[in-house]
Amino acid sequence: MAFENGTANMPSAARKTWFSLTFLVVRCFGAFFDDISVLPQDCYDFVVIGGGTAGLVVANRLSENPKVSVLVIEAGASNKDVLDIKVPFYSTRVSSRTLYDWNYTTVPQAQLNGRSIDYTRGHVLGGCSSTNFMIYTRGSSEDYDRIAEVTRDQGWSWHNLQPFILRNEIVTPPADHHNTQGQYTPAVHGHSGVNSNSLPGFATPMDERIMRSTQEHPKEFPFNEDYNSGFQLGIGWGMATILNGERSSSATSYLAPKYAARPNLHVVLNSRVTRVLASSKTSSRSSITSDYSTRGRTSKLVSIDTVEVATAADGPRKFITARKEIVLSAGSIGSPQILMNSGIGDFDALTKLGVESILNNPSVGQNLSDHPVVGNTWFVNETETWEKLVRNDTFAEEALQLWRTKRQGPLVNTVTTQLGWLRIPDNSGAFKEHPDDPAAGPNTAHYEFVFANGMRGKLPTEGNFVTISTVVASPASRGSVQLRSGDPFDDPLIDPNFYGSKFDMTVMKEAIYAARHFTAAKAWEGYILKPYFSATKEAEIEDMIRDTTRTISHPVGTAAMSAKSADYGVVDPDLRVKGIQSGLRVIDGSVFPYIPAGHTQAPVYIIAERGSQLMKDAWGL
């Protein structure tokens, strides 16, 4: 059933003429639409599902060719003029339990004492790039070389991805314009790309102490001038997607006004894709698609060319057709959910929920990988920490006015100014539980330090703090995303299965010990007063981990790439959905077969840049 509009009673031919004339008008300016009911046409060359980190890259690159039409369908609202999105330091205000988040929670986590935890995902134009903490890390070169090996496609190797990395990135000066020599290596970065990143634009009291600690313990905690070079091990200055003291997201960069004005690009907001549907071109002949575990069931060769969209669970559906391809860029939760609601997934599980199966692929929604994080906090002998912004209203208002007028001051930074990438010892007991190292190679981190000039979460009434959050960067655990019901508007069942592997628990404990050793350096004498958490015995530390672990919000893998000949996985190396004859790709973080040892924003941009080029090459654009 289509939405009602003023053309409902027109004869078919007149209605088509009206749509065509309307499109000619909006094509002159490009167009944004508040919801799907007012979209002036129902057919495009390409339909991109999700206006997030990856989706807007794809839309930008495809619409570079004026001969094709591109539609982006975004479930959330506009990012425009939202202060909490624009101000880097305010990023914690939009990342959970807000209008701009999907507000998911996980299923109870067995290894977290049965806790369900918030699972943040951006629900706004720009997706997670509009709500994340903006940290720019690529991971190690080994992360990408492993993907190339597993998929048997050398296009995914570190070396061959360099043009796409540089195509995405433009390094810009920090907000305070300080001398950045020795804080990063310009030669390994892009300087003419689309999305901006920069070094911290406001100094904090911990900066010098962190650098001095690397000098005191160069073997355990080496300084790395640029962990984005492909060799990531060590501690270095953090880059973030910030331009002139303001967040740089896919919405502000890839959908900047000069791109949004393209007459062949439409963006519709507040509209949720519920399913993708089979094409009338679908083959009528039957076959056994044994590569995807149909277990002898007969199925048709399916092509996909239609998107079903709604604005409410009980509202009408509108159908949009793609002449060439549909691109799923709804993220590691949304993309597998849409696939399964469309009948692409495990036959038995879908049948139990009353979802008609069109392709039996048990890999859909499996292989969820994420980075668990624990905050390790100390009281410090310092007043210039985050706590001043929370407790002193006058200072907070002055900081906001300084940001508004000059884009300077403490609000120009994200939550961290330095990061560390480190490995557990080769003789660690973790390898007794998991002899196959889950890291991509010997130069890839097992865990990460995220340094913060204050405390995250519920703040005590007194005290100032420094935090080193420890993150399992190369987890062995795998979880899943499954449908809760046959209703596309029901939140899916999200299970990251944190510490499902004992290896990850051992890594987290060793990371916490390492953070404590790091803060014992002479550089911290007279600054650190005492730990906030008193746990010292191994059992107590493990209890603390189970009680305080949260996600750092890097889910990947739920529509994973595999080799074309593999009998597992969801997409081929060209990102086409396996077992679908034509018309459907997935381009977002869900296609990573392994989680990169890094914050996943930059890797998703990289995936999207190469995925867009694969599409352009396939269609001769």
Side-chain angles (χ1 to χ4, degrees), residues 151-383:
T151 62
R152 300 175 191 170
D153 181 348
Q154 285 302 306
W156 293 111
S157 70
W158 173 257
H159 173 75
N160 289 325
L161 284 171
Q162 290 307 302
F164 302 105
I165 293 173
L166 303 182
R167 185 182 296 180
N168 162 253
E169 182 189 30
I170 177 169
V171 175
T172 54
D176 61 1
H177 293 274
H178 72 265
N179 183 355
T180 59
Q181 186 174 1
Q183 294 185 348
Y184 84 115
T185 307
V188 302
H189 288 274
H191 301 278
S192 58
V194 179
N195 191 44
S196 299
N197 59 28
S198 63
L199 287 158
F202 184 79
T204 75
M206 68 180 185
D207 297 345
E208 181 188 359
R209 290 176 171 83
I210 293 169
M211 293 300 118
R212 283 166 49 198
S213 297
T214 67
Q215 296 168 6
E216 287 184 44
H217 299 288
K219 185 175 181 181
E220 295 169 274
F221 307 111
F223 173 70
N224 186 337
E225 183 177 88
D226 203 317
Y227 46 70
N228 282 311
S229 64
F231 179 81
Q232 69 168 174
L233 296 180
I235 293 172
W237 291 89
M239 280 193 159
T241 48
I242 294 172
L243 172 63
N244 298 328
E246 185 172 330
R247 177 191 292 272
S248 177
S249 68
S250 66
T252 64
S253 60
Y254 283 90
L255 199 62
K258 64 180 179 179
Y259 304 126
R262 288 174 178 166
N264 59 331
L265 175 61
H266 285 180
V267 179
V268 62
L269 304 171
N270 306 303
S271 301
R272 184 162 175 174
V273 171
T274 51
R275 294 184 297 167
V276 294
L277 302 172
S279 162
S280 59
K281 297 177 290 185
T282 292
S283 173
S284 60
R285 64 188 178 88
S286 295
S287 67
I288 305 298
T289 52
S290 56
D291 281 350
Y292 305 103
S293 303
T294 52
R295 292 186 287 272
R297 298 186 181 94
T298 300
S299 62
K300 294 179 179 179
L301 290 177
V302 175
S303 294
I304 301 291
D305 73 351
T306 301
V307 175
E308 180 185 81
V309 195
T311 55
D314 58 353
R317 276 26 179 186
K318 181 163 179 132
F319 300 94
I320 307 295
T321 301
R323 283 183 287 263
K324 298 184 184 297
E325 278 192 87
I326 293 166
V327 182
L328 257 178
S329 295
S332 293
I333 308 303
S335 286
Q337 182 183 17
I338 291 170
L339 286 173
M340 289 184 284
N341 278 319
S342 305
I344 302 170
D346 181 80
F347 178 92
D348 294 331
L350 296 179
T351 300
K352 287 178 182 178
L353 296 175
V355 177
E356 181 181 356
S357 176
I358 64 171
L359 176 69
N360 179 38
N361 186 343
S363 293
V364 176
Q366 301 302 306
N367 192 50
L368 173 62
S369 305
D370 197 359
H371 292 141
V373 57
V374 169
N376 305 275
T377 303
W378 291 263
F379 288 90
V380 294
N381 183 24
E382 176 61 66
T383 59

Side-chain angles (χ1 to χ4, degrees), residues 428-436 501-503 506:
S428 168
F431 295 113
K432 294 179 182 178
E433 299 289 345
H434 200 284
D436 295 327
S501 168
K502 292 181 180 180
F503 179 90
T506 301

Side-chain angles (χ1 to χ4, degrees), residues 41-63:
Q41 64 187 86
D42 56 10
C43 188
Y44 294 80
D45 291 312
F46 298 100
V47 177
V48 181
I49 301 171
T53 310
L56 294 185
V57 176
V58 176
N60 177 298
R61 295 307 185 189
L62 293 178
S63 63

